[in-house]
Amino acid sequence: MMPSYFFAHGAPSIVLEDNAYTQLLKKFKEQTPKPKAIVLFSAHWEEKVQAIGAAETFETIYDFGGFQDELYQMTYPAASDRALSGLVQSLFAKHGIQSVINEKRGLDHGAWAVLKLLYPDADIPVIALSVNRYLSNEQQYQIGQALGELREQDVLIIGSGGTVHNLRKLNWRSQGVDEWAEQFDNWLQNKLESWDTEALFQYHEQAPYAQEAVPTSEHFIPLLLAMGSGDANRQAKLVHRSYQYGNLSLSCWQFN
């Protein structure tokens, strides 16, 4: 069964960087069986009704400003898979989740920056999925759970976001790690590895420094979505964790 993953996408410039985290992403395809397709939830696509991106060929969305000129020349012209997008919609319907197909929207940087590091040739069909910050954390988990059986069909499920993501607290010159960020991620690691969904669904009330780490939930949601897709076996593994700018977490979680 194909594992599912959560990848932090950091700043848009991550696709140009060379560090331990980007090296991990670049080697991913060598260490993981090639999937038949990729289903990816991005923190940067928010809709109140679950949307399923199914463009024939995805355009590249530059949803950021002030970064290197090279970023605005990059493209990721992945194709979608109409049959798979229909299957995703049917699985959502089976679990009582309303959804709509969107054949026009391209891939935002939460999607393409990660995918360009993982699979630079853009030769694997992609289904892009939105997130909805107005649902409960349990509902987020259930959305991921609804797609879990896709893993048996060699479909790679990815949540792209960030566990500690507070742009107002970034220190662009920092070489260290803020203690509050580590404390939040340590709590999170404990609850993920023990698959303590009761605590995770209440993370904003229970986790230390949750308000600082997750001032808004859209970047955290993809973690719950990816985790939910691993509900059948309930095994979580921290593959990597590092930080940029004092507290921006770059983490990878694997769910088997």
Side-chain angles (χ1 to χ4, degrees), residues 65-85:
F67 287 90
Q68 300 95 318
D69 290 343
E70 186 178 352
L71 283 176
Y72 303 92
Q73 309 304 317
M74 289 187 171
T75 61
Y76 195 82
S80 189
D81 182 321
R82 195 63 182 84
L84 181 56
S85 62

Side-chain angles (χ1 to χ4, degrees), residues 33-238:
K34 186 175 182 179
K36 292 181 179 177
I38 299 168
V39 169
L40 186 147
F41 293 92
S42 172
H44 288 273
W45 186 10
E46 293 191 67
E47 301 285 354
K48 291 186 177 180
V49 175
Q50 179 65 57
I52 303 168
E56 184 174 348
T57 301
F58 288 102
E59 295 182 358
T60 304
I61 301 174
Y62 307 102
D63 51 334
F64 48 82
F67 287 90
Q68 300 95 318
D69 290 343
E70 186 178 352
L71 283 176
Y72 303 92
Q73 309 304 317
M74 289 187 171
T75 61
Y76 195 82
S80 189
D81 182 321
R82 195 63 182 84
L84 181 56
S85 62
L87 175 57
V88 168
Q89 188 169 41
S90 69
L91 289 174
F92 282 147
K94 178 182 175 182
H95 289 81
I97 300 164
Q98 182 183 0
S99 64
V100 294
I101 299 285
N102 184 323
E103 297 180 342
K104 296 182 179 180
R105 191 182 190 275
L107 296 177
D108 57 69
H109 84 269
W112 68 259
V114 169
L115 291 174
K116 199 165 185 69
L117 289 167
L118 294 174
Y119 298 104
D121 296 331
D123 58 349
I124 300 173
V126 173
I127 306 297
L129 295 175
S130 65
V131 302
N132 180 358
R133 71 171 77 187
Y134 301 103
L135 301 178
S136 70
N137 292 322
E138 184 173 8
Q139 287 173 308
Q140 311 289 2
Y141 184 92
Q142 290 169 348
I143 289 172
Q145 191 176 6
L147 301 183
E149 65 185 72
L150 293 176
R151 298 168 56 214
E152 300 175 6
Q153 303 178 35
D154 295 328
V155 174
L156 176 61
I157 299 174
I158 294 175
S160 173
T163 57
V164 180
H165 188 276
N166 188 334
L167 301 184
R168 292 187 176 184
K169 286 190 171 294
L170 296 185
N171 181 349
W172 295 91
R173 297 181 180 180
S174 175
Q175 299 297 316
V177 182
D178 294 338
E179 183 179 352
W180 62 266
E182 281 195 303
Q183 286 195 32
F184 176 82
D185 268 340
N186 287 339
W187 181 92
L188 185 62
Q189 180 177 352
N190 177 272
K191 302 308 177 186
L192 286 167
E193 290 177 344
S194 60
W195 212 274
D196 187 348
T197 54
E198 183 177 350
L200 285 165
F201 295 162
Q202 300 296 323
Y203 75 90
H204 226 264
E205 292 76 28
Q206 295 191 22
Y209 301 104
Q211 184 58 53
E212 290 85 353
V214 190
T216 57
S217 63
E218 76 287 341
H219 277 76
F220 192 87
I221 288 168
L223 177 68
L224 297 173
L225 294 163
M227 183 188 187
S229 69
D231 182 77
N233 294 331
R234 298 193 165 198
Q235 296 179 348
K237 176 184 177 182
L238 179 61

